[in-house]
PDB file of all heavy atoms in Angstrom:
ATOM      1  N   ALA A 156      10.529  -0.898 -11.546  1.00  0.00           N
ATOM      2  CA  ALA A 156      11.975  -0.769 -11.720  1.00  0.00           C
ATOM      3  C   ALA A 156      12.687  -0.794 -10.376  1.00  0.00           C
ATOM      4  O   ALA A 156      13.755  -1.404 -10.216  1.00  0.00           O
ATOM      5  CB  ALA A 156      12.305   0.530 -12.465  1.00  0.00           C
ATOM      6  N   LYS A 157      12.098  -0.152  -9.390  1.00  0.00           N
ATOM      7  CA  LYS A 157      12.710  -0.069  -8.068  1.00  0.00           C
ATOM      8  C   LYS A 157      12.579  -1.374  -7.290  1.00  0.00           C
ATOM      9  O   LYS A 157      13.546  -1.856  -6.695  1.00  0.00           O
ATOM     10  CB  LYS A 157      12.078   1.070  -7.268  1.00  0.00           C
ATOM     11  CG  LYS A 157      12.609   1.199  -5.852  1.00  0.00           C
ATOM     12  CD  LYS A 157      11.894   2.316  -5.098  1.00  0.00           C
ATOM     13  CE  LYS A 157      12.396   2.406  -3.658  1.00  0.00           C
ATOM     14  NZ  LYS A 157      11.685   3.473  -2.903  1.00  0.00           N
ATOM     15  N   ASN A 158      11.375  -1.949  -7.289  1.00  0.00           N
ATOM     16  CA  ASN A 158      11.109  -3.118  -6.448  1.00  0.00           C
ATOM     17  C   ASN A 158      11.413  -4.443  -7.132  1.00  0.00           C
ATOM     18  O   ASN A 158      11.653  -5.441  -6.454  1.00  0.00           O
ATOM     19  CB  ASN A 158       9.643  -3.108  -5.998  1.00  0.00           C
ATOM     20  CG  ASN A 158       9.341  -1.962  -5.060  1.00  0.00           C
ATOM     21  OD1 ASN A 158       9.605  -2.034  -3.875  1.00  0.00           O
ATOM     22  ND2 ASN A 158       8.783  -0.878  -5.590  1.00  0.00           N
ATOM     23  N   GLN A 159      11.338  -4.470  -8.459  1.00  0.00           N
ATOM     24  CA  GLN A 159      11.573  -5.709  -9.221  1.00  0.00           C
ATOM     25  C   GLN A 159      10.748  -6.861  -8.655  1.00  0.00           C
ATOM     26  O   GLN A 159      11.212  -7.986  -8.545  1.00  0.00           O
ATOM     27  CB  GLN A 159      13.058  -6.061  -9.211  1.00  0.00           C
ATOM     28  CG  GLN A 159      13.937  -5.001  -9.861  1.00  0.00           C
ATOM     29  CD  GLN A 159      15.405  -5.383  -9.869  1.00  0.00           C
ATOM     30  OE1 GLN A 159      15.889  -6.027  -8.932  1.00  0.00           O
ATOM     31  NE2 GLN A 159      16.114  -5.016 -10.910  1.00  0.00           N
ATOM     32  N   LYS A 160       9.516  -6.555  -8.284  1.00  0.00           N
ATOM     33  CA  LYS A 160       8.650  -7.554  -7.674  1.00  0.00           C
ATOM     34  C   LYS A 160       7.684  -8.117  -8.693  1.00  0.00           C
ATOM     35  O   LYS A 160       7.182  -7.397  -9.553  1.00  0.00           O
ATOM     36  CB  LYS A 160       7.878  -6.927  -6.506  1.00  0.00           C
ATOM     37  CG  LYS A 160       7.150  -7.942  -5.633  1.00  0.00           C
ATOM     38  CD  LYS A 160       6.602  -7.294  -4.369  1.00  0.00           C
ATOM     39  CE  LYS A 160       5.942  -8.348  -3.488  1.00  0.00           C
ATOM     40  NZ  LYS A 160       5.411  -7.762  -2.237  1.00  0.00           N
ATOM     41  N   ASN A 161       7.404  -9.403  -8.555  1.00  0.00           N
ATOM     42  CA  ASN A 161       6.601 -10.097  -9.557  1.00  0.00           C
ATOM     43  C   ASN A 161       5.097  -9.965  -9.334  1.00  0.00           C
ATOM     44  O   ASN A 161       4.347 -10.936  -9.388  1.00  0.00           O
ATOM     45  CB  ASN A 161       6.988 -11.582  -9.607  1.00  0.00           C
ATOM     46  CG  ASN A 161       6.796 -12.289  -8.267  1.00  0.00           C
ATOM     47  OD1 ASN A 161       6.819 -11.660  -7.207  1.00  0.00           O
ATOM     48  ND2 ASN A 161       6.632 -13.601  -8.306  1.00  0.00           N
ATOM     49  N   ASN A 162       4.649  -8.736  -9.082  1.00  0.00           N
ATOM     50  CA  ASN A 162       3.201  -8.500  -9.009  1.00  0.00           C
ATOM     51  C   ASN A 162       2.622  -8.623 -10.414  1.00  0.00           C
ATOM     52  O   ASN A 162       3.000  -7.861 -11.314  1.00  0.00           O
ATOM     53  CB  ASN A 162       2.912  -7.118  -8.429  1.00  0.00           C
ATOM     54  CG  ASN A 162       3.111  -7.070  -6.924  1.00  0.00           C
ATOM     55  OD1 ASN A 162       2.753  -8.002  -6.215  1.00  0.00           O
ATOM     56  ND2 ASN A 162       3.698  -5.993  -6.430  1.00  0.00           N
ATOM     57  N   PRO A 163       1.700  -9.559 -10.632  1.00  0.00           N
ATOM     58  CA  PRO A 163       1.222  -9.859 -11.992  1.00  0.00           C
ATOM     59  C   PRO A 163       0.513  -8.680 -12.661  1.00  0.00           C
ATOM     60  O   PRO A 163      -0.165  -7.877 -12.010  1.00  0.00           O
ATOM     61  CB  PRO A 163       0.258 -11.025 -11.774  1.00  0.00           C
ATOM     62  CG  PRO A 163       0.685 -11.636 -10.482  1.00  0.00           C
ATOM     63  CD  PRO A 163       1.131 -10.488  -9.641  1.00  0.00           C
ATOM     64  N   VAL A 164       0.665  -8.599 -13.978  1.00  0.00           N
ATOM     65  CA  VAL A 164       0.033  -7.544 -14.772  1.00  0.00           C
ATOM     66  C   VAL A 164      -0.656  -8.170 -15.985  1.00  0.00           C
ATOM     67  O   VAL A 164      -0.360  -9.296 -16.378  1.00  0.00           O
ATOM     68  CB  VAL A 164       1.065  -6.494 -15.252  1.00  0.00           C
ATOM     69  CG1 VAL A 164       1.705  -5.790 -14.065  1.00  0.00           C
ATOM     70  CG2 VAL A 164       2.132  -7.139 -16.133  1.00  0.00           C
ATOM     71  N   SER A 165      -1.566  -7.402 -16.569  1.00  0.00           N
ATOM     72  CA  SER A 165      -2.239  -7.819 -17.794  1.00  0.00           C
ATOM     73  C   SER A 165      -2.264  -6.648 -18.755  1.00  0.00           C
ATOM     74  O   SER A 165      -2.563  -5.514 -18.356  1.00  0.00           O
ATOM     75  CB  SER A 165      -3.671  -8.280 -17.492  1.00  0.00           C
ATOM     76  OG  SER A 165      -4.348  -8.677 -18.673  1.00  0.00           O
ATOM     77  N   HIS A 166      -1.907  -6.907 -20.020  1.00  0.00           N
ATOM     78  CA  HIS A 166      -1.849  -5.895 -21.076  1.00  0.00           C
ATOM     79  C   HIS A 166      -0.783  -4.838 -20.799  1.00  0.00           C
ATOM     80  O   HIS A 166      -0.824  -3.751 -21.364  1.00  0.00           O
ATOM     81  CB  HIS A 166      -3.215  -5.238 -21.287  1.00  0.00           C
ATOM     82  CG  HIS A 166      -4.222  -6.154 -21.906  1.00  0.00           C
ATOM     83  ND1 HIS A 166      -5.270  -5.701 -22.681  1.00  0.00           N
ATOM     84  CD2 HIS A 166      -4.356  -7.503 -21.876  1.00  0.00           C
ATOM     85  CE1 HIS A 166      -5.997  -6.741 -23.087  1.00  0.00           C
ATOM     86  NE2 HIS A 166      -5.448  -7.840 -22.602  1.00  0.00           N
ATOM     87  N   LEU A 167       0.148  -5.166 -19.933  1.00  0.00           N
ATOM     88  CA  LEU A 167       1.281  -4.296 -19.630  1.00  0.00           C
ATOM     89  C   LEU A 167       2.577  -5.040 -19.934  1.00  0.00           C
ATOM     90  O   LEU A 167       2.679  -6.246 -19.683  1.00  0.00           O
ATOM     91  CB  LEU A 167       1.289  -3.905 -18.148  1.00  0.00           C
ATOM     92  CG  LEU A 167       0.459  -2.703 -17.703  1.00  0.00           C
ATOM     93  CD1 LEU A 167       0.312  -2.720 -16.185  1.00  0.00           C
ATOM     94  CD2 LEU A 167       1.106  -1.406 -18.139  1.00  0.00           C
ATOM     95  N   THR A 168       3.559  -4.321 -20.456  1.00  0.00           N
ATOM     96  CA  THR A 168       4.903  -4.877 -20.633  1.00  0.00           C
ATOM     97  C   THR A 168       5.892  -3.916 -19.990  1.00  0.00           C
ATOM     98  O   THR A 168       5.864  -2.712 -20.270  1.00  0.00           O
ATOM     99  CB  THR A 168       5.253  -5.057 -22.119  1.00  0.00           C
ATOM    100  OG1 THR A 168       4.289  -5.920 -22.732  1.00  0.00           O
ATOM    101  CG2 THR A 168       6.641  -5.681 -22.268  1.00  0.00           C
ATOM    102  N   ILE A 169       6.710  -4.445 -19.097  1.00  0.00           N
ATOM    103  CA  ILE A 169       7.666  -3.614 -18.370  1.00  0.00           C
ATOM    104  C   ILE A 169       9.030  -4.296 -18.406  1.00  0.00           C
ATOM    105  O   ILE A 169       9.168  -5.447 -17.989  1.00  0.00           O
ATOM    106  CB  ILE A 169       7.232  -3.407 -16.908  1.00  0.00           C
ATOM    107  CG1 ILE A 169       5.796  -2.871 -16.843  1.00  0.00           C
ATOM    108  CG2 ILE A 169       8.200  -2.467 -16.194  1.00  0.00           C
ATOM    109  CD1 ILE A 169       5.204  -2.876 -15.442  1.00  0.00           C
ATOM    110  N   GLU A 170      10.024  -3.589 -18.907  1.00  0.00           N
ATOM    111  CA  GLU A 170      11.389  -4.091 -18.927  1.00  0.00           C
ATOM    112  C   GLU A 170      12.284  -3.092 -18.202  1.00  0.00           C
ATOM    113  O   GLU A 170      12.255  -1.887 -18.487  1.00  0.00           O
ATOM    114  CB  GLU A 170      11.889  -4.286 -20.356  1.00  0.00           C
ATOM    115  CG  GLU A 170      13.298  -4.864 -20.429  1.00  0.00           C
ATOM    116  CD  GLU A 170      13.766  -5.117 -21.855  1.00  0.00           C
ATOM    117  OE1 GLU A 170      12.927  -4.995 -22.775  1.00  0.00           O
ATOM    118  OE2 GLU A 170      14.958  -5.427 -22.034  1.00  0.00           O
ATOM    119  N   THR A 171      13.061  -3.599 -17.238  1.00  0.00           N
ATOM    120  CA  THR A 171      13.917  -2.722 -16.448  1.00  0.00           C
ATOM    121  C   THR A 171      15.343  -3.273 -16.396  1.00  0.00           C
ATOM    122  O   THR A 171      15.587  -4.446 -16.690  1.00  0.00           O
ATOM    123  CB  THR A 171      13.394  -2.578 -15.006  1.00  0.00           C
ATOM    124  OG1 THR A 171      13.625  -3.811 -14.284  1.00  0.00           O
ATOM    125  CG2 THR A 171      11.911  -2.268 -14.985  1.00  0.00           C
ATOM    126  N   ASP A 172      16.257  -2.411 -15.996  1.00  0.00           N
ATOM    127  CA  ASP A 172      17.654  -2.814 -15.831  1.00  0.00           C
ATOM    128  C   ASP A 172      18.282  -1.940 -14.744  1.00  0.00           C
ATOM    129  O   ASP A 172      18.393  -0.726 -14.904  1.00  0.00           O
ATOM    130  CB  ASP A 172      18.424  -2.638 -17.145  1.00  0.00           C
ATOM    131  CG  ASP A 172      19.825  -3.254 -17.076  1.00  0.00           C
ATOM    132  OD1 ASP A 172      20.221  -3.717 -15.981  1.00  0.00           O
ATOM    133  OD2 ASP A 172      20.513  -3.268 -18.115  1.00  0.00           O
ATOM    134  N   ASN A 173      18.657  -2.575 -13.642  1.00  0.00           N
ATOM    135  CA  ASN A 173      19.302  -1.863 -12.537  1.00  0.00           C
ATOM    136  C   ASN A 173      18.536  -0.620 -12.088  1.00  0.00           C
ATOM    137  O   ASN A 173      19.089   0.464 -11.911  1.00  0.00           O
ATOM    138  CB  ASN A 173      20.733  -1.464 -12.917  1.00  0.00           C
ATOM    139  CG  ASN A 173      21.697  -2.627 -12.794  1.00  0.00           C
ATOM    140  OD1 ASN A 173      21.562  -3.468 -11.894  1.00  0.00           O
ATOM    141  ND2 ASN A 173      22.654  -2.693 -13.696  1.00  0.00           N
TER     142      ASN A 173
END
Side-chain angles (χ1 to χ4, degrees):
K157 178 182 178 181
N158 293 279
Q159 298 181 326
K160 191 170 183 179
N161 59 335
N162 284 320
V164 297
S165 179
H166 290 208
L167 274 165
T168 302
I169 307 170
E170 182 177 351
T171 72
D172 189 355
N173 281 325

